[in-house]
């Protein structure tokens, strides 16, 4: 017999620094002017393309983003650099990603009313890990004094939901009693701040959740995890080619294709119907309709995507109360967006209310979890 599984805690660690659209776009436009002045002759000969200005008005209208949090602001707005300055740490120091993971984990443990001794597995699941091994999850496990085991997972936009899926399965099967799932989305080092199409999209954050057996849960807000659903379909439309092979290929490890890049229009067109269909099927497997749900904690990549998906599901636009948006202040935080929305907007749900967490994006990947307030 399977154990009843619950989501009993959530933690949200927000970096101390922000960059507004105005600041970011001011820096980009200064960089573009600098580039155009430097390449004046090639541009007039037609061998180099001039860089047009970015605009805060476009960014807010096309994405819903007004500002973003950033782990380290230094260097990003410097026209000569356009990337954060992050010091390398010694092997015996806590890595930056483990450090922010620990912050989010402590908040999740507190909200679940648990201590490190109650946890027996740690999953660090996010879009990038800052090294291949030893796993960041094992470093976090050591820092928090957790027994048991830990491992890292990379599933880009769906890392958080897919990580929670694995935790659900382990608790249901009895191979772990309580799992800490952490999403330290330190994405700013992989953003191409020189690329007009994508320089505004991302922000840094760390989120964490506790998934455990229902009979051990003692938090104030406990959600029965009814089921999970996942799908992936290969696409090159969102891609980063950075990896360990660059040591052998003799290519520039910092070239534009090694950083985040996408065909944003295609992503928009292809992912929205996939996500709406996925959610409809997930709910139908419980004989539920979209109108039966109280809350939608949707992936936060683009406000227009969320509006379109909720219209497809409900036949009308969802209110901000039904489908909260955190993009305006957090921007796209890779896999953490739906967890941020959950962290900030779950305490008002009443016993019996249904809600759905859902990620969609790179891979392509879609992951959902249907929950019901206990
Ligand atoms: N300023 C002013 N104008 C601009 C800018 C800009 N910054 N950028 C583009 N334009 C112009 C274009 O040149 C174009 O002009 P024209 O019509 O004259 O050619 C016009 O605006 C329209 O351009 P687009 O068609 O590209 O603009 P869209 O309306 O499609 O909006 C978006 C662009 C916002 C990127 C939109 O396509 C989008 O959001 N698509 C989906 C994106 C998405 O969900 N991506 C997933 C991201 S991946 C993820 O979430 C996790 C991945 C792993 C983490 C990586 C971390 C680094």
């Amino acid at each position: 017999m399977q154990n009843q599984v619950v989501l009993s805690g959530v933690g949200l660690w927000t970096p101390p620094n922000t960059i507004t659209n105005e600041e970011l776009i001011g820096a980009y436009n200064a960089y573009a002017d600098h580039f155009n002045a430097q390449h004046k002759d090639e541009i007039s000969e037609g061998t180099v393309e001039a860089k047009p200005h970015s605009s805060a008005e476009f960014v807010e209208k096309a994405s819903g983003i007004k500002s973003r949090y950033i782990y380290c602001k230094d260097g990003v707005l410097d026209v000569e650099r356009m990337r954060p300055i992050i010091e390398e740490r010694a092997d015996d120091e806590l890595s930056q990603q483990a450090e922010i993971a620990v912050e989010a984990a402590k908040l999740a443990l507190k909200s679940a009313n648990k201590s490190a001794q109650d946890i027996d597995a740690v999953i660090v699941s996010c879009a990038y890990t800052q090294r291949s091994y030893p796993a960041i999850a094992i470093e976090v496990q050591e820092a928090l004094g957790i027994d048991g085991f830990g491992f890292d997972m990379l599933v880009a936009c769906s890392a958080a939901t897919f990580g929670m899926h694995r935790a659900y399965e382990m608790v249901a099967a009895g191979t772990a009693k309580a799992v800490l799932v952490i999403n330290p989305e330190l994405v700013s080092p992989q953003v191409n701040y020189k690329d007009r199409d994508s320089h505004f999209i991302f922000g840094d954050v760390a989120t964490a959740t506790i998934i455990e057996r229902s009979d051990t849960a003692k938090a104030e807000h406990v959600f029965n995890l009814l089921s999970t659903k996942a799908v992936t379909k290969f696409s090159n439309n969102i891609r980063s080619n950075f990896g360990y092979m660059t040591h052998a290929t003799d290519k520039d490890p910092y070239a534009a294709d090694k950083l985040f890049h996408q065909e944003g229009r295609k992503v928009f067109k292809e992912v929205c119907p996939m996500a709406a269909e996925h959610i409809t099927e997930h709910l139908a497997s419980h004989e539920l309709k979209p109108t039966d749900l109280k809350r939608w904690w949707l992936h936060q990549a683009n406000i227009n995507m969320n509006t379109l998906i909720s219209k497809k599901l409900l036949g009308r636009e969802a209110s901000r109360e039904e489908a909260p948006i955190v993009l305006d202040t957090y921007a796209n935080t890779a896999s953490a967006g739906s967890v941020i929305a959950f962290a900030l907007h779950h305490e008002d749900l009443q016993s019996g209310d249904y809600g759905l967490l859902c990620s969609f994006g790179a891979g392509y990947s879609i992951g959902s979890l249907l929950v019901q307030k206990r």
Side-chain angles (χ1 to χ4, degrees):
M1 223 200 37
Q2 280 198 351
N3 294 311
Q4 171 66 52
V5 186
V6 296
L7 168 56
S8 60
V10 62
L12 166 62
W13 177 83
T14 303
N17 315 299
T18 56
I19 300 183
T20 64
N21 283 353
E22 287 69 25
E23 284 177 281
L24 191 73
I25 281 138
Y28 176 86
N29 289 346
Y31 157 76
D33 291 344
H34 185 66
F35 176 93
N36 293 342
Q38 270 185 330
H39 297 88
K40 197 166 149 261
D41 294 340
E42 295 102 306
I43 291 168
S44 54
E45 281 161 17
T47 51
V48 168
E49 254 185 65
K51 288 191 183 290
H53 275 188
S54 183
S55 107
E57 199 192 0
F58 168 85
V59 169
E60 190 177 335
K61 192 162 169 280
S63 69
I65 298 164
K66 296 179 187 168
S67 183
R68 71 279 300 135
Y69 291 97
I70 187 144
Y71 177 74
C72 182
K73 191 169 174 174
D74 293 347
V76 175
L77 305 178
D78 175 353
V79 176
E80 302 285 350
R81 184 175 170 93
M82 304 292 277
R83 58 201 162 88
I85 302 169
I86 300 177
E87 292 289 325
E88 189 171 75
R89 291 190 178 166
D91 288 358
D92 60 359
E93 291 179 282
L94 197 64
S95 67
Q96 289 90 348
Q97 212 173 9
E99 181 182 286
I100 67 170
V102 164
E103 294 297 332
K106 283 181 182 165
L107 295 168
L109 287 167
K110 190 165 177 251
S111 105
N113 202 5
K114 295 265 141 184
S115 68
Q117 289 67 46
D118 298 317
I119 304 296
D120 50 7
V122 179
I123 302 174
V124 163
S125 196
C126 47
Y128 308 98
T129 49
Q130 75 178 80
R131 60 165 189 266
S132 300
Y133 48 85
I136 306 293
I138 304 176
E139 193 183 2
V140 171
Q141 186 195 352
E142 169 81 3
L144 290 172
I146 292 172
D147 292 331
F149 62 94
F151 59 90
D152 292 349
M153 282 176 61
L154 299 177
V155 203
C157 298
S158 290
T161 54
F162 278 40
M164 291 161 85
H165 289 184
R166 303 293 76 79
Y168 168 85
E169 285 155 5
M170 294 192 308
V171 175
T175 52
K177 288 198 297 287
V179 185
L180 171 61
V181 185
I182 322 173
N183 325 106
E185 292 291 13
L186 184 48
V187 296
S188 54
Q190 259 276 318
V191 176
N192 184 354
Y193 290 104
K194 296 180 179 174
D195 175 36
R196 177 176 175 256
D197 290 350
S198 65
H199 74 117
F200 56 88
I201 297 179
F202 294 100
D204 297 325
V205 81
T207 53
T209 45
I210 306 288
I211 291 177
E212 62 174 315
R213 277 194 348 222
S214 180
D215 58 357
T216 58
K218 48 185 182 181
E220 195 183 341
H221 302 282
V222 176
F223 289 81
N224 286 325
L225 247 167
L226 302 183
S227 69
T228 67
K229 184 173 167 69
V231 67
T232 53
K233 187 178 186 319
F234 186 73
S235 168
N236 274 321
N237 288 332
I238 311 170
R239 212 174 152 109
S240 159
N241 290 330
F242 184 78
Y244 79 102
M245 293 284 280
T246 33
H247 190 215
T249 57
D250 297 327
K251 298 282 181 202
D252 174 5
Y254 310 113
D257 78 295
K258 305 296 183 296
L259 304 172
F260 169 89
H261 56 288
Q262 69 167 355
E263 293 284 341
R265 273 280 118 196
K266 286 190 190 156
V267 173
F268 199 106
K269 277 202 185 125
E270 291 170 9
V271 169
C272 289
M274 265 178 83
E277 191 186 327
H278 174 95
I279 293 171
T280 308
E281 283 175 12
H282 191 174
L283 297 182
S285 70
H286 288 262
E287 296 182 355
L288 289 170
K289 300 183 297 302
T291 46
D292 295 326
L293 264 66
K294 181 85 178 177
R295 187 116 332 137
W296 305 86
W297 299 287
L298 297 179
H299 186 62
Q300 306 278 322
N302 178 295
I303 195 169
N304 302 318
M305 280 178 104
N306 291 23
T307 304
L308 186 61
I309 291 167
S310 63
K311 261 191 189 164
K312 279 180 191 286
L313 292 166
L314 294 167
R316 60 170 172 83
E317 242 178 71
S319 69
R320 285 293 168 91
E321 196 194 333
E322 290 170 303
I325 295 290
V326 302
L327 272 164
D328 46 351
T329 48
Y330 280 89
N332 180 339
T333 49
S335 78
S338 59
V339 185
I340 302 174
F342 178 83
L344 298 175
H345 303 278
H346 70 280
E347 292 184 356
D348 60 316
L349 262 58
Q350 304 296 310
S351 179
D353 284 346
Y354 290 105
L356 185 100
L357 279 120
C358 186
S359 64
F360 36 83
Y364 297 137
S365 60
I366 305 182
S368 52
L369 297 102
L370 179 65
V371 301
Q372 186 173 31
K373 183 82 186 274
R374 189 166 86 176

